[in-house]
């Protein structure tokens, strides 16, 4: 059976785990009932919940993750198992503890999640998104920055910003994602524009207009969508400064903003750098610590960079000089491989959902083989127990 290592290299595993007969070892069951928690509100998650799964309702999943935010494999698995559950892990607990104790009158704190690809950074960000939603914070969420850099659906020269490039389609999608995540809250907050925005000789958004008009304009007019995103982020920053709302910025694959290349090319075939995107300027402005009443949580990942820039998962390497200086000072939080407790909880979850049906998954010896083969790496373990 072909499997993939955490570093992406292919290796072959002759899995004795699945080929041994049930009679070759005693079936001493190790599964327990401690891998779940009844505390469904991430605001209340503490060290006591470490290594336990909590369930997310279908309505919350639809609200928060319809436009992205869950890794593809994780989302498909949750749909197959007919329910989304997230493990409460130490990085998320640490971050939630910081957020609960934050002085929101001070400049925004910036947190950087880092770790090997597949260690669970995106799922930890999903956990934090749920926290922010329950805490009544306006969510500014970018599910995966490399989608704008490596897989753009179309870039056009900006009309307003010289030598810059718009992402019309991606901007429409992002505005729809923002509206889905924050719709009810935005209606309650009744935020309004603080200045007039002129889009053309005939079209404008007057000062004092609801932000929903700005969002609707961008979703209906792709030509202006990128500039509507820029205006929206600017207005949210002002609203946070004036204590009209509290903002949580969550960006996955943040280091891609500082990637040395993209797949966008000019007419002369020269490469457009990510720093030349209007969206990059907009989100870099929002991730400066020149405002308060909010928090910024980003992740850096080797897979967000070209293959030649994946030697180290550490923030200094992934962000480069420019990115590191942009975020400095920040609080780094490592997302490691599973601890022993987390590993057993994950196996218990797979067994409970009948995703892992081998009787030996309930034994210490069987689990030891899975632990050794996967290296307790979350993504590798997911692939290892997959029935296909």
């Amino acid at each position: 059976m072909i499997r993939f290592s955490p570093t992406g290299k292919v290796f072959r595993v002759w899995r004795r785990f699945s080929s041994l007969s049930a009679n070759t070892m005693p079936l001493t069951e190790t599964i327990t009932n401690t891998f779940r928690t009844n505390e469904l509100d991430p605001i209340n998650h503490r060290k006591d919940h470490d290594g336990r799964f909590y369930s997310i309702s279908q309505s919350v999943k639809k609200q928060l993750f319809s436009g992205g935010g869950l890794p593809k494999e994780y989302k498909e698995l949750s749909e197959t198992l007919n329910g989304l559950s997230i493990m409460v892990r130490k990085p998320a607990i640490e971050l939630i503890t910081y957020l609960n104790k934050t002085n929101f009158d001070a400049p925004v704190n910036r947190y950087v999640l880092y770790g090997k690809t597949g260690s669970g950074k995106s799922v930890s960000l999903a956990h934090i998104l749920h926290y922010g939603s329950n805490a009544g914070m306006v969510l500014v969420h970018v599910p995966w920055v490399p989608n704008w850099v490596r897989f753009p659906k179309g870039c056009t020269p900006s009309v307003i910003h010289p030598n810059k490039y718009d992402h019309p389609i991606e901007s429409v999608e992002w505005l729809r994602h923002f509206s889905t995540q924050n719709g009810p809250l935005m209606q309650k907050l009744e935020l309004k524009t603080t200045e007039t925005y002129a889009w053309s000789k005939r079209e404008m958004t007057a000062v004092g207009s609801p932000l929903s008009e700005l969002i609707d304009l961008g979703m209906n007019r792709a030509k202006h969508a990128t500039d509507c995103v820029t205006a929206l982020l600017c207005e949210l920053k002002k609203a946070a400064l004036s204590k009209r709302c509290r903002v949580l910025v969550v960006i996955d694959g943040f280091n891609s903003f500082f990637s040395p290349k993209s797949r966008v090319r000019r007419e002369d075939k020269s490469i457009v750098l990510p720093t030349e995107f209007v969206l990059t300027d907009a989100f870099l402005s929002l991730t400066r610590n020149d405002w308060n009443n909010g928090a910024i949580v980003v992740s850096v990942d080797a897979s967000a960079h070209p293959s030649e820039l994946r030697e180290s998962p550490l923030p200094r390497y992934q962000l480069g000089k420019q990115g590191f200086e942009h975020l400095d000072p920040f609080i780094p939080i490592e997302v490691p491989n599973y601890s022993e407790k987390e590993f057993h909880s994950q196996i218990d979850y797979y067994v409970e959902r009948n995703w892992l049906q081998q009787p030996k998954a309930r034994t210490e010896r069987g689990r030891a083989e899975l632990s050794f083969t996967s290296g307790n790496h979350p993504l590798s373990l997911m692939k290892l127990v997959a029935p296909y």
Side-chain angles (χ1 to χ4, degrees):
M1 181 176 294
I2 299 296
R3 294 294 178 196
F4 294 85
S5 71
T7 60
K9 297 181 180 178
V10 179
F11 65 90
R12 186 175 297 274
V13 177
W14 299 101
R15 190 163 38 153
R16 287 190 297 118
F17 176 75
S18 60
S19 61
L20 290 173
S21 68
N23 296 326
T24 58
M25 64 183 76
L27 294 182
T28 304
E29 293 198 0
T30 60
I31 189 169
T32 66
N33 293 322
T34 61
F35 71 96
R36 282 193 179 276
T37 175
N38 292 325
E39 181 53 73
L40 305 183
D41 189 346
I43 295 177
N44 299 323
H45 286 162
R46 301 290 186 270
K47 290 182 179 179
D48 294 343
H49 305 112
D50 178 33
R52 299 187 180 186
F53 281 87
Y54 82 100
S55 300
I56 295 180
S57 67
Q58 187 64 28
S59 60
V60 173
K61 176 185 175 182
K62 184 177 180 180
Q63 175 191 350
L64 297 181
F65 307 118
S66 292
L70 295 173
K72 180 181 178 181
E73 297 90 344
Y74 201 89
K75 181 180 179 181
E76 291 176 348
L77 181 60
S78 69
E79 292 172 351
T80 302
L81 300 182
N82 196 29
L84 175 61
S85 294
I86 290 179
M87 184 190 295
V88 181
R89 300 187 64 194
K90 288 182 179 179
I93 295 173
E94 180 182 352
L95 189 45
I96 288 171
T97 302
Y98 291 150
L99 292 173
N100 283 336
K101 296 181 179 180
T102 294
N103 175 14
F104 287 102
D105 292 326
V108 289
N109 290 324
R110 293 175 290 188
Y111 306 91
V112 177
L113 301 188
Y114 71 97
K116 295 179 180 179
T117 298
S119 62
K121 296 182 293 298
S122 296
V123 178
S124 293
L125 290 180
H127 192 172
I128 298 305
L129 274 175
H130 192 194
Y131 166 92
S133 177
N134 282 17
M137 305 175 81
V138 176
L139 303 179
V140 178
H141 175 222
V142 181
W144 188 233
V145 177
N147 287 338
W148 298 347
V149 177
R150 294 207 301 260
F151 312 106
K153 297 178 180 178
C155 279
T156 59
S158 174
V159 177
I160 298 178
H161 307 279
N163 303 317
K164 295 287 185 175
Y165 287 79
D166 291 342
H167 287 72
I169 300 176
E170 286 86 348
S171 297
V172 171
E173 292 175 344
W174 187 86
L175 287 169
R176 187 178 295 114
H177 179 53
F178 176 88
S179 181
T180 301
Q181 287 186 324
N182 300 285
L185 179 60
M186 293 297 286
Q187 291 179 0
K188 179 181 178 181
L189 293 172
E190 297 182 341
L191 300 177
K192 300 183 184 299
T193 57
T194 59
E195 59 182 276
T196 297
Y197 297 94
W199 310 110
S200 65
K201 292 182 179 180
R202 297 182 179 181
E203 292 177 300
M204 62 179 290
T205 301
V207 61
S209 300
L211 288 190
S212 58
E213 289 188 12
L214 196 64
I215 296 170
D216 291 340
L217 174 67
M219 289 194 293
N220 294 322
R221 296 296 303 276
K223 177 182 178 180
H224 303 307
T226 301
D227 293 318
C228 285
V229 172
T230 301
L232 175 62
L233 298 184
C234 181
E235 291 292 345
L236 289 174
K237 197 172 181 178
K238 292 178 182 178
L241 280 166
S242 60
K243 302 285 191 295
R244 287 180 288 145
C245 69
R246 186 165 289 173
V247 179
L248 177 63
V249 181
V250 179
I251 302 177
D252 200 0
F254 182 80
N255 52 313
S256 194
F257 282 134
F258 304 96
S259 181
K261 59 184 178 182
S262 76
R263 291 188 178 178
V264 180
R265 295 184 179 272
R266 300 181 180 86
E267 292 182 359
D268 62 1
K269 304 302 181 182
S270 60
I271 295 176
V272 178
L273 298 177
T275 51
E276 297 177 274
F277 297 152
V278 174
L279 286 178
T280 298
D281 289 343
F283 283 97
L284 290 188
S285 175
L286 188 63
T287 51
R288 295 189 179 97
N289 64 341
D290 56 355
W291 57 288
N292 57 22
N293 206 27
I296 298 169
V297 184
V298 305
S299 76
V300 295
D301 192 277
S303 64
H305 268 325
S307 57
E308 63 268 21
L309 293 176
R310 300 181 181 181
E311 295 179 7
S312 170
L314 297 178
R316 178 62 181 85
Y317 179 85
Q318 289 299 322
L319 288 167
K321 184 176 184 294
Q322 182 182 3
F324 190 88
E325 290 177 351
H326 174 81
L327 286 179
D328 189 43
F330 63 84
I331 301 172
I333 299 177
E334 183 182 10
V335 181
N337 290 343
Y338 285 145
S339 65
E340 183 177 356
K341 180 180 180 180
E342 291 171 340
F343 170 81
H344 284 290
S345 291
Q346 186 65 72
I347 296 299
D348 287 344
Y349 174 75
Y350 286 145
V351 171
E352 184 217 41
R353 306 304 295 175
N354 290 322
W355 186 243
L356 184 56
Q357 299 185 21
Q358 263 289 335
K360 290 172 288 299
R362 299 171 178 264
T363 68
E364 292 184 4
R365 181 178 171 185
R367 293 183 178 217
E369 291 198 26
L370 282 174
S371 176
F372 176 79
T373 307
S374 66
N376 281 12
H377 183 258
L379 181 58
S380 296
L381 179 63
M382 181 186 294
K383 292 181 177 180
L384 192 63
V385 303
Y388 42 80

